[in-house]
Structure formats: C-alpha cells, structure tokens
Amino acid sequence: MRLWFSAALCAGLCVAPLPFASADAVTAAVAASRPASAAEVATYARTLLADSVPEGGPGIVVLVARGDQVLYRGARGLANIELGVPLTPDQVFRLGSVTKQFAAAGVMKLVEAGKVGLDDPLSKYVKDFPNGDAISVRQLLNHTSGVKSYTGIDGYMHESIRRDLSTRAMIDVFKDLPVDFAPGQGYAYNNSGYVLVGAVIEAASGQRWYDYLDQALFKPLGLKHTRYGDVHALIPGYVGGYTRGDGGNAPMNYLDMSQPHAAGALVSSLDDLLRWNLALHNGQVLKPDSYRAMTTPEGKAREDGYGFGIGKAYAHGYGGWGHGGGIFGFATFLLYLPDGKTTVAVLSNSDSALKDGVNPEGLARRLAAVALGDPYPAVTAVPVDAATLKQAEGVYRKNPQQAWALRVVDGVLTQQRLGGSRIALTPVARDTYAYPNGLSRLQLQRDGQGAVIAMRYFGDGIGESQLTARSDEPLPQP
C-alpha cells in the first residue's frame, strides 16, 4: 500500500448485521458464479467487514462497483466514538496518498494545455531548488528524482508536522537535505516530490494547487465532496480520525494539512471516488496519450510498477491500477480493474490496523476478486515437519539495502525484513507459505540436491513474482 507517511482499519454496521458464516465460507458460494451478482458481493462484503472490524471503535466504509452499477455500498464502525455516531457510506475521509493521482492528473492537464512539459526542469518552476536543472517534472511524478522525503526526517512527524506552512516554507524543509540518488538513477517513493508537484501546479496555473484541481477536475466531474482537507475549515460530512495507543483507541495525532500538500491533503467520499475512477480510466479526464503516460511505469520506476501518482495493482491475477493512503487518523485504498470496469474504494477512519493482517488494500483486493467471480482461495494450513522448516532458515538479500531473515520461532516459519518486525507464515503446500493478509505467497526455491537457495515472493499469490537469493550471511540475533 502506498502511503502519505505511514500506514489502518474498522466497527456498528450501517446495514443491519446478519448471522453470516466466516468470509472464507461465503467465498466458496461466490466462486460458483462469474461475475458475482450484487447480492453475492453484498453478502461477502458484510461478512468480510464483520470478520475484520471489531465493534465499538473506528471503522470503514466500502464501495464495490461494476462500471456505474454499485454492487455494494456500506459501512461498519463509528464516525465518532465519543458520541457513538455510526459511520455511513456518505461521509468524508482524508485520502492520504490517494491524493497523488489527482495531483498527477492536474499536471497532465497542464501538459495538455502547453503550460508544463514532462521533461521541463524543476528550476523552471522552483527557481532556487538545488540541482533543479537536472530534476524533471516526470521524475517528480514517478518518484525517480532522488529528492529526500521530508516525512522520513527523524522526529519530524512528532512536532514539526503541526506547523502551518506555505509551499515555499515546505520546500525549505527538505531542499538542502542529502539526496537519495542522482535524478533518474533510482526509485524511492517520497512525499517531497509531490510537494514539488504542487509547486509546479501553482507556478504554471497561478493558483493554489488545490484551487487549480477544484477548477480543472473536481467541479467539471461533479466531485462535490472532494476538496482540500483544511484543518481550519468546517467540512460537511467529515468523520473523526483515530489511532491506537497503549489503552486502545485514541484521537488521531494532530498535523496541519498544509504539510501533506499535493502528496496527501485531499478529502473525499466513496461516491466521488467511483465517479473519479470511471472518468479517469475511461477517457473523460485526459487525452489518450496523457493517460498512457500517467499509467505506464518507465525507467527506474518500472520495477515497482509506478506511473504518475498511481501504480499497478492486482486482484487474484487481474491487473489494473490503484493507490493507498495513510495519514494521521485514516487509511485508504482505491482500486480500478479494466475487467468489468471494477472499482473498489475502502476508507478507514483509523490509522492503525484494527486486526492483524487487515488493511484497506487487502480488503479492496479481496472484494474485487469476489466481484469478478474469482475469489482468493481460503488459507488452509498443511503440516510441515521441523526439519523441513529448519532448511529454510537464513538471510535472503535483494541488494545492499534490502534483506530478509527466515527463522523458525516456536515451530512456525517467520519472515523478518532486517530492521523490521517479524511476521508468521502459514504453510499451504510444499515449500509454499501464505502471509497474514491471506493474499500473498512465499515459495522456496531448491537446487538439484534439495537445498533451499532462494525465496520467491508473489504479492498477489499468483502471477508476477520477485526472486531473492539466499546469502551466506549468518542469521542475526533475534
């Protein structure tokens, strides 16, 4: 999931809860039809939300559509815990990094108007940015500029993020930081690049970045609830955001929305996101060449499948485009699959996962697969003896910066990104393990003598994969 700064989910159903079985049990019934009916999608969606979202806390709203036919539109959880106000599908949420696709489309509208060139240097729009002559607008849009992301500055998200800053002052926060790499020579998802995208929009249009988007996109498309999430304004329908502290649910941490800027400062609703998806992906926003540029990963962004503000996304083998968002108090995911013109929007008013392995992206992908009549299989553990598990232990290194440790803990194979947290894997077949999200798979690769020499990661469980070789490094201390 792509985030504004970090990454969430949800509880009290708007549609009256029914005594359903687990989501996995419902999946078996849905699998019989292709594509699924609205009734089947609704049954599965209600059950999935009930399985995923505890009662009495923040929640989630969901929309699943086939073209402009809404298959399910519902909510579970509370918009305001203190007052016991339930969530409804009409309410307004912070989008986090789902904002980026709107900002990118805004730039492409300026390209079509001849006011911006994708290969223009940043210096044309931001006069004094270090090495601005070598950084292109294209590189800002696809995260290949090398500019350091301000949200990664140690301690920044605790106090500095509370300040109300102008675009100029925001740029001053990160412009003199050491770069991650020379422009165009690497890929690193970062939010500073989209602050600069906002600055390009402002310089080329003569308007504040969000005022330009309102004039060029929101009003023409009838997006009545999509706007800048100004913390100093009253926003009709806007829900409260929450986080998880030591004592359970707590009010979200404060930030001034001037700082997420064009990287993550918009708010919107389910219905607006459906309208946006259909317009963007069906030729109503951009000319064909512009849309193709926006949705075609290139250069160093190709391996990560990232275009301009949007990336490749999958649901059980069906390819499309999507983006996630995480911002104080909220987590989101918006998915579009050309098959069936399928839209899934998932918006949560909590920035903390409400159950292990549950997040908006995973829910969106499950719902899309069910809508297409090809749901993900249930995760059923198979027995694996201790000696076989032990054979997988080791360090698997992708590059000097990225490596993972496989280790057996209490009879369970676990994976840990070095420097990160440990997750338990579930064996589902010989040398094949499921991740906690139930969607992704890890497959061990063996040589002719049966020794484990690599691991292959399938983010969607099938299809495209990433191979990481086992190294000779010793396992680090747990």
Side-chain angles (χ1 to χ4, degrees), residues 350-366:
S350 173
D351 59 26
S352 306
L354 300 185
K355 284 190 177 180
D356 289 344
V358 173
N359 59 62
E361 179 181 357
L363 295 177
R365 290 165 58 193
R366 286 181 182 276

Side-chain angles (χ1 to χ4, degrees), residues 99-108 141 194 197 201 209 213 217 262:
T99 297
K100 289 182 171 72
Q101 61 190 273
F102 292 94
V107 170
M108 297 310 295
L141 289 167
Y194 269 76
V197 165
I201 291 174
W209 67 270
L213 295 184
L217 299 175

Side-chain angles (χ1 to χ4, degrees), residues 273-320:
L273 292 175
L274 172 59
R275 191 172 289 112
W276 166 253
N277 250 9
L278 291 176
L280 175 65
H281 297 292
N282 291 279
Q284 297 171 35
V285 176
L286 300 174
K287 296 176 181 177
D289 286 349
S290 299
Y291 176 75
R292 192 176 304 111
M294 182 173 171
T295 58
T296 303
E298 60 180 3
K300 295 295 184 179
R302 186 179 295 113
E303 181 179 349
D304 284 81
Y306 201 89
F308 298 164
I310 198 166
K312 288 185 175 181
Y314 299 89
H316 206 210
Y318 295 87

Side-chain angles (χ1 to χ4, degrees), residues 37 39 44 47 70 143 146 161 187 194 217 242-243 275 291 297 412:
S37 68
Y44 179 82
T47 304
V70 176
H143 301 299
I161 199 67
Y187 171 90
Y194 269 76
L217 299 175
Y242 294 88
T243 191
R275 191 172 289 112
Y291 176 75
V412 175

